[in-house]
mmCIF file of all heavy atoms in Angstrom:
data_model
loop_
_atom_site.group_PDB
_atom_site.id
_atom_site.type_symbol
_atom_site.label_atom_id
_atom_site.label_comp_id
_atom_site.label_asym_id
_atom_site.label_seq_id
_atom_site.Cartn_x
_atom_site.Cartn_y
_atom_site.Cartn_z
ATOM 1 N N VAL A 278 35.282 -18.560 26.577
ATOM 2 C CA VAL A 278 35.870 -19.562 27.456
ATOM 3 C C VAL A 278 35.170 -19.480 28.804
ATOM 4 O O VAL A 278 35.235 -18.448 29.468
ATOM 5 C CB VAL A 278 37.385 -19.349 27.625
ATOM 6 C CG1 VAL A 278 37.979 -20.439 28.502
ATOM 7 C CG2 VAL A 278 38.078 -19.298 26.264
ATOM 8 N N ARG A 279 34.542 -20.524 29.219
ATOM 9 C CA ARG A 279 33.769 -20.505 30.452
ATOM 10 C C ARG A 279 34.626 -20.062 31.639
ATOM 11 O O ARG A 279 35.704 -20.595 31.879
ATOM 12 C CB ARG A 279 33.191 -21.903 30.737
ATOM 13 C CG ARG A 279 32.267 -21.956 31.946
ATOM 14 C CD ARG A 279 31.753 -23.384 32.156
ATOM 15 N NE ARG A 279 30.852 -23.462 33.269
ATOM 16 C CZ ARG A 279 31.229 -23.559 34.548
ATOM 17 N NH1 ARG A 279 32.517 -23.577 34.847
ATOM 18 N NH2 ARG A 279 30.339 -23.643 35.519
ATOM 19 N N GLY A 280 34.103 -19.065 32.369
ATOM 20 C CA GLY A 280 34.792 -18.611 33.560
ATOM 21 C C GLY A 280 35.885 -17.595 33.307
ATOM 22 O O GLY A 280 36.489 -17.104 34.260
ATOM 23 N N CYS A 281 36.152 -17.272 32.046
ATOM 24 C CA CYS A 281 37.205 -16.299 31.722
ATOM 25 C C CYS A 281 36.569 -15.011 31.202
ATOM 26 O O CYS A 281 35.485 -15.032 30.624
ATOM 27 C CB CYS A 281 38.167 -16.852 30.684
ATOM 28 S SG CYS A 281 39.154 -18.251 31.284
ATOM 29 N N MET A 282 37.253 -13.893 31.390
ATOM 30 C CA MET A 282 36.693 -12.603 31.003
ATOM 31 C C MET A 282 37.552 -11.922 29.949
ATOM 32 O O MET A 282 38.741 -12.180 29.810
ATOM 33 C CB MET A 282 36.571 -11.693 32.227
ATOM 34 C CG MET A 282 37.879 -11.315 32.894
ATOM 35 S SD MET A 282 37.646 -10.215 34.308
ATOM 36 C CE MET A 282 39.280 -10.305 35.071
ATOM 37 N N VAL A 283 36.892 -11.036 29.216
ATOM 38 C CA VAL A 283 37.576 -10.085 28.345
ATOM 39 C C VAL A 283 37.582 -8.746 29.078
ATOM 40 O O VAL A 283 36.518 -8.230 29.428
ATOM 41 C CB VAL A 283 36.837 -9.935 26.999
ATOM 42 C CG1 VAL A 283 37.478 -8.814 26.171
ATOM 43 C CG2 VAL A 283 36.844 -11.244 26.231
ATOM 44 N N ILE A 284 38.754 -8.218 29.359
ATOM 45 C CA ILE A 284 38.843 -6.892 29.960
ATOM 46 C C ILE A 284 38.865 -5.895 28.811
ATOM 47 O O ILE A 284 39.767 -5.901 27.977
ATOM 48 C CB ILE A 284 40.109 -6.743 30.830
ATOM 49 C CG1 ILE A 284 40.133 -7.827 31.913
ATOM 50 C CG2 ILE A 284 40.147 -5.353 31.470
ATOM 51 C CD1 ILE A 284 41.388 -7.815 32.758
ATOM 52 N N LYS A 285 37.855 -5.040 28.745
ATOM 53 C CA LYS A 285 37.716 -4.112 27.630
ATOM 54 C C LYS A 285 38.639 -2.896 27.829
ATOM 55 O O LYS A 285 39.166 -2.680 28.931
ATOM 56 C CB LYS A 285 36.249 -3.709 27.494
ATOM 57 C CG LYS A 285 35.339 -4.920 27.194
ATOM 58 C CD LYS A 285 33.888 -4.538 27.058
ATOM 59 C CE LYS A 285 33.609 -3.851 25.742
ATOM 60 N NZ LYS A 285 32.153 -3.631 25.550
ATOM 61 N N PRO A 286 38.847 -2.105 26.779
ATOM 62 C CA PRO A 286 39.826 -1.011 26.863
ATOM 63 C C PRO A 286 39.630 -0.069 28.045
ATOM 64 O O PRO A 286 40.603 0.320 28.695
ATOM 65 C CB PRO A 286 39.653 -0.295 25.517
ATOM 66 C CG PRO A 286 39.256 -1.373 24.578
ATOM 67 C CD PRO A 286 38.356 -2.286 25.382
ATOM 68 N N TYR A 287 38.379 0.295 28.349
ATOM 69 C CA TYR A 287 38.167 1.239 29.466
ATOM 70 C C TYR A 287 38.543 0.589 30.797
ATOM 71 O O TYR A 287 39.167 1.211 31.656
ATOM 72 C CB TYR A 287 36.713 1.708 29.485
ATOM 73 C CG TYR A 287 36.464 2.894 30.396
ATOM 74 C CD1 TYR A 287 37.053 4.121 30.143
ATOM 75 C CD2 TYR A 287 35.629 2.778 31.501
ATOM 76 C CE1 TYR A 287 36.821 5.218 30.968
ATOM 77 C CE2 TYR A 287 35.387 3.865 32.329
ATOM 78 C CZ TYR A 287 36.000 5.076 32.061
ATOM 79 O OH TYR A 287 35.777 6.154 32.893
ATOM 80 N N GLY A 288 38.171 -0.676 30.961
ATOM 81 C CA GLY A 288 38.550 -1.396 32.179
ATOM 82 C C GLY A 288 40.042 -1.600 32.260
ATOM 83 O O GLY A 288 40.654 -1.463 33.335
ATOM 84 N N TYR A 289 40.658 -1.926 31.127
ATOM 85 C CA TYR A 289 42.107 -2.160 31.136
ATOM 86 C C TYR A 289 42.872 -0.877 31.398
ATOM 87 O O TYR A 289 43.944 -0.897 32.000
ATOM 88 C CB TYR A 289 42.555 -2.796 29.815
ATOM 89 C CG TYR A 289 43.889 -3.490 29.958
ATOM 90 C CD1 TYR A 289 43.950 -4.776 30.496
ATOM 91 C CD2 TYR A 289 45.073 -2.860 29.617
ATOM 92 C CE1 TYR A 289 45.175 -5.426 30.648
ATOM 93 C CE2 TYR A 289 46.293 -3.498 29.776
ATOM 94 C CZ TYR A 289 46.343 -4.772 30.294
ATOM 95 O OH TYR A 289 47.550 -5.391 30.467
ATOM 96 N N ALA A 290 42.312 0.262 30.977
ATOM 97 C CA ALA A 290 42.965 1.557 31.245
ATOM 98 C C ALA A 290 43.055 1.817 32.744
ATOM 99 O O ALA A 290 44.053 2.350 33.242
ATOM 100 C CB ALA A 290 42.212 2.677 30.549
ATOM 101 N N ILE A 291 42.011 1.426 33.483
ATOM 102 C CA ILE A 291 42.045 1.571 34.944
ATOM 103 C C ILE A 291 43.097 0.629 35.526
ATOM 104 O O ILE A 291 43.894 1.016 36.384
ATOM 105 C CB ILE A 291 40.661 1.290 35.553
ATOM 106 C CG1 ILE A 291 39.630 2.291 35.024
ATOM 107 C CG2 ILE A 291 40.720 1.357 37.080
ATOM 108 C CD1 ILE A 291 38.192 1.953 35.408
ATOM 109 N N TRP A 292 43.098 -0.627 35.065
ATOM 110 C CA TRP A 292 44.089 -1.588 35.543
ATOM 111 C C TRP A 292 45.505 -1.109 35.224
ATOM 112 O O TRP A 292 46.413 -1.257 36.065
ATOM 113 C CB TRP A 292 43.819 -2.955 34.936
ATOM 114 C CG TRP A 292 44.861 -3.985 35.266
ATOM 115 C CD1 TRP A 292 45.719 -4.603 34.395
ATOM 116 C CD2 TRP A 292 45.181 -4.517 36.569
ATOM 117 N NE1 TRP A 292 46.541 -5.485 35.064
ATOM 118 C CE2 TRP A 292 46.229 -5.449 36.395
ATOM 119 C CE3 TRP A 292 44.669 -4.296 37.840
ATOM 120 C CZ2 TRP A 292 46.785 -6.154 37.463
ATOM 121 C CZ3 TRP A 292 45.215 -5.005 38.906
ATOM 122 C CH2 TRP A 292 46.263 -5.922 38.720
ATOM 123 N N GLU A 293 45.716 -0.530 34.058
ATOM 124 C CA GLU A 293 47.039 -0.022 33.698
ATOM 125 C C GLU A 293 47.501 1.065 34.663
ATOM 126 O O GLU A 293 48.680 1.130 35.032
ATOM 127 C CB GLU A 293 47.042 0.527 32.274
ATOM 128 C CG GLU A 293 47.161 -0.531 31.192
ATOM 129 C CD GLU A 293 47.239 0.074 29.818
ATOM 130 O OE1 GLU A 293 46.426 0.959 29.504
ATOM 131 O OE2 GLU A 293 48.121 -0.337 29.032
ATOM 132 N N LYS A 294 46.571 1.929 35.069
ATOM 133 C CA LYS A 294 46.923 2.957 36.047
ATOM 134 C C LYS A 294 47.306 2.327 37.377
ATOM 135 O O LYS A 294 48.296 2.713 38.016
ATOM 136 C CB LYS A 294 45.757 3.938 36.242
ATOM 137 C CG LYS A 294 45.679 5.032 35.201
ATOM 138 C CD LYS A 294 44.898 6.224 35.731
ATOM 139 C CE LYS A 294 45.154 7.456 34.865
ATOM 140 N NZ LYS A 294 44.547 8.680 35.448
ATOM 141 N N MET A 295 46.523 1.350 37.817
ATOM 142 C CA MET A 295 46.855 0.634 39.051
ATOM 143 C C MET A 295 48.241 -0.007 38.935
ATOM 144 O O MET A 295 49.087 0.124 39.842
ATOM 145 C CB MET A 295 45.815 -0.458 39.330
ATOM 146 C CG MET A 295 44.450 0.026 39.718
ATOM 147 S SD MET A 295 43.370 -1.405 40.043
ATOM 148 C CE MET A 295 41.929 -0.582 40.730
ATOM 149 N N GLN A 296 48.456 -0.676 37.831
ATOM 150 C CA GLN A 296 49.711 -1.384 37.600
ATOM 151 C C GLN A 296 50.885 -0.422 37.605
ATOM 152 O O GLN A 296 51.933 -0.689 38.217
ATOM 153 C CB GLN A 296 49.619 -2.108 36.251
ATOM 154 C CG GLN A 296 50.773 -3.027 35.927
ATOM 155 C CD GLN A 296 50.584 -3.701 34.588
ATOM 156 O OE1 GLN A 296 50.065 -3.101 33.637
ATOM 157 N NE2 GLN A 296 50.987 -4.946 34.479
ATOM 158 N N SER A 297 50.723 0.717 36.953
ATOM 159 C CA SER A 297 51.805 1.695 36.863
ATOM 160 C C SER A 297 52.193 2.229 38.232
ATOM 161 O O SER A 297 53.384 2.324 38.570
ATOM 162 C CB SER A 297 51.377 2.852 35.938
ATOM 163 O OG SER A 297 52.343 3.871 35.927
ATOM 164 N N VAL A 298 51.187 2.564 39.038
ATOM 165 C CA VAL A 298 51.457 3.106 40.372
ATOM 166 C C VAL A 298 52.105 2.058 41.262
ATOM 167 O O VAL A 298 53.113 2.304 41.940
ATOM 168 C CB VAL A 298 50.159 3.621 41.021
ATOM 169 C CG1 VAL A 298 50.417 4.044 42.463
ATOM 170 C CG2 VAL A 298 49.592 4.787 40.213
ATOM 171 N N LEU A 299 51.533 0.845 41.278
ATOM 172 C CA LEU A 299 52.088 -0.215 42.113
ATOM 173 C C LEU A 299 53.507 -0.569 41.683
ATOM 174 O O LEU A 299 54.380 -0.802 42.521
ATOM 175 C CB LEU A 299 51.194 -1.454 42.050
ATOM 176 C CG LEU A 299 49.900 -1.389 42.866
ATOM 177 C CD1 LEU A 299 48.937 -2.479 42.432
ATOM 178 C CD2 LEU A 299 50.201 -1.495 44.366
ATOM 179 N N ASP A 300 53.731 -0.609 40.378
ATOM 180 C CA ASP A 300 55.058 -0.948 39.875
ATOM 181 C C ASP A 300 56.102 0.037 40.401
ATOM 182 O O ASP A 300 57.197 -0.356 40.807
ATOM 183 C CB ASP A 300 55.046 -0.955 38.351
ATOM 184 C CG ASP A 300 56.248 -1.667 37.758
ATOM 185 O OD1 ASP A 300 56.388 -2.877 38.000
ATOM 186 O OD2 ASP A 300 57.054 -1.011 37.075
ATOM 187 N N LYS A 301 55.741 1.313 40.403
ATOM 188 C CA LYS A 301 56.670 2.327 40.932
ATOM 189 C C LYS A 301 56.880 2.145 42.428
ATOM 190 O O LYS A 301 57.998 2.277 42.945
ATOM 191 C CB LYS A 301 56.155 3.734 40.647
ATOM 192 C CG LYS A 301 57.124 4.839 41.088
ATOM 193 C CD LYS A 301 56.598 6.208 40.744
ATOM 194 C CE LYS A 301 57.648 7.270 41.044
ATOM 195 N NZ LYS A 301 58.101 7.270 42.449
ATOM 196 N N MET A 302 55.798 1.846 43.158
ATOM 197 C CA MET A 302 55.915 1.625 44.606
ATOM 198 C C MET A 302 56.828 0.443 44.894
ATOM 199 O O MET A 302 57.628 0.479 45.836
ATOM 200 C CB MET A 302 54.532 1.420 45.224
ATOM 201 C CG MET A 302 53.622 2.642 45.130
ATOM 202 S SD MET A 302 51.941 2.361 45.748
ATOM 203 C CE MET A 302 52.179 2.595 47.510
#
């Protein structure tokens, strides 16, 4: 899909960590 990305497992693992910390904050 033009302009859209696939976030791969390693990248998503970093985002999940960000999400988890921010969610707690």
Side-chain angles (χ1 to χ4, degrees):
V278 182
R279 185 181 181 278
C281 294
M282 63 179 167
V283 174
I284 303 176
K285 298 180 75 173
Y287 193 64
Y289 200 82
I291 299 171
W292 175 245
E293 280 184 313
K294 277 202 164 187
M295 291 181 171
Q296 187 180 36
S297 175
V298 174
L299 283 165
D300 196 63
K301 184 178 187 303
M302 295 175 83

